[in-house]
Amino acid sequence: MDNASNSDEKRSHDAQVYEDVSGAVASGEISEAMVVAEGEERTTWFVWLLVACASISGLLFGYDTGVISGALVTIGGDLGPAELSSGQKELITSATTLGALIGGLVAGVLSDFLGRRPVMGIADIIFIGGAIGQALCHTVWSMIGCRFLIGVGVGVAACVAPLYIQELSPTRLRGRMVVVNVVAITGGQVIAYGIDAAFENTSGGWRWMVGLGAVPSGLQFIFLFFLPESPRIMIQRENFEAARATMAKVYALATPEQIDLKVKALAAAVKQSVEITNSTTLLQRVRLILMDPINRRALIVGCGMQAFQQLCGFNTLMYYSATLFKEIGFDQPTAVGLIISGTNFIFTLLALKYIDIIGRRRIMIWSAPGMIVGLVLASVAFHYLTRKTGGQLVDGTEYSTTWSAIVLVAMIFYVASYATGLGNVPWQQGELFGLEVRGIGTSLATTTNWAGNLLIGSTYLSLMDRITPAGAFGFYAGLCLLGWLFCLCCFPETAGLSLEEVRLIFRNGFGIRESQRLRREKRAMLQGEKAQKSEKASSA
């Protein structure tokens, strides 16, 4: 009888929760996370497998942006000219970024129409074609064209992979799961530098460097046939059974009743977005994200964080670190570049552990000053390093090993700070937008990222020539200071809030206080659930 009584009580509790959810939907307080499922704080094998497969997109992103650093110093005369000029190097590098800008612009909207999974498959096909094309290039312009093609794939993958992971992850683990994709990006950069070092002294080794990118993209294309679509997209298409089956795998330890409630609550939350999507055109939704105050604030935060990530100058190290370290006197510049990418990888793992515990806002407020310190130290070191060459880096000059070492230490400190916060947090962008504008919002934010990347990547060498390396790194430090102030004033906390709850925080301003209020309520609710379970366990 006790078991039957407990079962009836549980069903009554679940019914009450659904009633609360329905009421929350009516009042605007939407939250699938109000339905607490057994074991949802634990990551199941299914979620890990799904995220690992999706994160191959991140690995390709990292590999294809990192591999060019070593390739540029080993191409030699293989593309026609005896030696690539600074302008040709900038064109080859920035072609990828221009392609990524275009890919990112269309990816989110395309994924709303086709689904998240098919669009990742399109990115894989582009990756394969671009990688093989690069390996077969014999002219500078064909290399630029293939780097552009690779860039389109990078832009699509960078936009859709985090979005897909966010929509399939349990709320309490969402930040950590997206960081897995960023770990894959940094891991791809480490692999790229390792392969660069392995083929550095091989004749035509750069062809192997760029061509090997076809391997992981081919593997992911096969894996995609076995991955599910996002439950939110399934519900949007009224495929409730498929959504329920996927949710049951995500919350493997939950009861069938809890899964039903999760799906019903999610359907209630998605319903408003579906109605907007079905009754508006794409152009009207673009206008909606720009004119509606809630969507506009979310867009400012998403685009602002992505701009900060690129304008801080980090990707100049990814693209030109081997060139830079060669100029300041290191004998093995590619190996030294591997230290930088290794630091990025290790500290991204730190973010993987703490981003959901510490929170997105707090981790940004703490880590950004470290970037400023690292860049200022690098600027000072470059000033003293280049005094005998008029402030400029002159290839072949013997520079002070002490100041060269200080430059390296400053770069390591800067990269460690970047990887802990700014390298991860902007890619949580999908959680800022309601479902009806999520694809458009992530497209615009990703496009901002690549526009900033294009600006920095295409001007870095020229900036170093015009205002000296000390001036260039001091300039990046100033941009980092502005980015930190933006975080203090505009960036709210989203950790622990469901994708539907995040929209609520932008109702009045940028929601820094509102996000803290919602998080306190969520913590109180979870503590109440735990207390009830303890009481039942002690009375049983």
Side-chain angles (χ1 to χ4, degrees), residues 217-237:
S217 47
L219 289 173
Q220 188 186 47
F221 186 76
I222 295 168
F223 293 153
L224 285 174
F225 287 99
F226 304 98
L227 297 184
E229 185 52 89
S230 159
R232 285 169 173 81
I233 296 295
M234 292 176 186
I235 290 173
Q236 196 173 31
R237 294 171 177 172

Side-chain angles (χ1 to χ4, degrees), residues 3-14:
N3 288 339
S5 173
N6 287 340
S7 179
D8 289 342
E9 187 180 332
K10 191 171 184 316
R11 275 195 293 270
S12 173
H13 172 263
D14 288 346

Side-chain angles (χ1 to χ4, degrees), residues 64-401:
D64 283 305
T65 53
V67 76
I68 198 64
S69 176
L72 285 176
V73 296
T74 57
I75 285 174
D78 289 353
L79 295 179
E83 196 70 36
L84 292 176
S85 67
S86 291
Q88 288 170 330
K89 287 180 180 180
E90 282 184 342
L91 279 173
I92 290 171
T93 303
S94 57
T96 307
T97 312
L98 179 61
L101 189 154
I102 294 169
L105 185 62
V106 302
V109 178
L110 193 62
S111 73
D112 280 346
F113 180 68
L114 297 178
R116 316 303 189 207
R117 189 181 62 162
V119 174
M120 287 197 293
I122 292 171
D124 286 326
I125 294 170
I126 295 171
F127 276 126
I128 293 167
I132 295 172
Q134 285 178 98
L136 300 176
C137 281
H138 289 281
T139 66
V140 172
W141 283 107
S142 61
M143 184 67 173
I144 291 169
C146 289
R147 289 300 296 173
F148 174 82
L149 186 62
I150 279 285
V152 174
V154 167
V156 172
C159 178
V160 178
L163 189 57
Y164 178 74
I165 291 168
Q166 280 177 325
E167 293 186 341
L168 275 153
S169 298
T171 296
R172 295 188 221 174
L173 305 170
R174 190 177 65 240
R176 184 178 300 177
M177 293 298 99
V178 173
V179 174
V180 171
N181 186 62
V182 183
V183 170
I185 295 173
T186 59
Q189 289 165 343
V190 172
I191 292 169
Y193 275 90
I195 288 175
D196 284 353
F199 287 99
E200 187 174 17
N201 299 314
T202 303
S203 177
W206 67 271
R207 298 186 185 277
W208 286 99
M209 295 176 192
V210 296
L212 285 171
V215 176
S217 47
L219 289 173
Q220 188 186 47
F221 186 76
I222 295 168
F223 293 153
L224 285 174
F225 287 99
F226 304 98
L227 297 184
E229 185 52 89
S230 159
R232 285 169 173 81
I233 296 295
M234 292 176 186
I235 290 173
Q236 196 173 31
R237 294 171 177 172
E238 299 186 354
N239 191 351
F240 296 100
E241 281 305 311
R244 189 193 183 287
T246 300
M247 294 284 274
K249 291 177 181 176
V250 172
Y251 299 100
L253 301 175
T255 64
E257 291 82 5
Q258 288 171 340
I259 296 297
D260 285 337
L261 285 170
K262 280 275 186 188
V263 174
K264 286 175 183 176
L266 185 58
V270 169
K271 183 182 177 184
Q272 293 178 339
S273 298
V274 172
E275 287 172 354
I276 293 172
T277 302
N278 291 340
S279 62
T280 57
T281 64
L282 175 61
L283 188 60
Q284 287 172 325
R285 289 197 295 280
V286 171
R287 193 178 294 118
L288 179 65
I289 200 170
L290 295 174
M291 303 307 293
D292 178 73
I294 293 175
N295 292 330
R296 187 169 61 245
R297 291 179 194 119
L299 186 65
I300 290 169
V301 172
C303 292
M305 292 302 293
Q306 290 288 18
F308 181 16
Q309 188 189 76
Q310 291 306 318
L311 297 180
C312 73
F314 172 78
N315 274 322
T316 60
L317 287 179
M318 288 299 102
Y319 298 145
Y320 299 113
S321 62
T323 304
L324 177 66
F325 291 128
K326 181 184 176 186
E327 288 179 334
I328 65 175
F330 286 96
D331 293 331
Q332 299 290 330
T334 305
V336 178
L338 186 58
I339 295 172
I340 297 297
S341 61
T343 302
N344 190 23
F345 178 72
I346 290 167
F347 280 85
T348 303
L349 290 177
L350 186 71
L352 173 65
K353 180 172 177 61
Y354 291 109
I355 192 167
D356 283 322
I357 298 170
I358 296 174
R360 283 67 147 153
R361 176 179 166 82
R362 195 177 298 174
I363 212 168
M364 279 303 309
I365 300 302
W366 290 354
S367 63
M371 295 168 59
I372 299 168
V373 170
L375 287 169
V376 169
L377 180 59
S379 179
V380 171
F382 274 120
H383 171 73
Y384 287 103
L385 181 74
T386 59
R387 278 195 301 180
K388 66 179 181 182
T389 52
Q392 296 294 342
L393 285 173
V394 179
D395 203 6
T397 304
E398 285 195 21
Y399 289 108
S400 163
T401 54

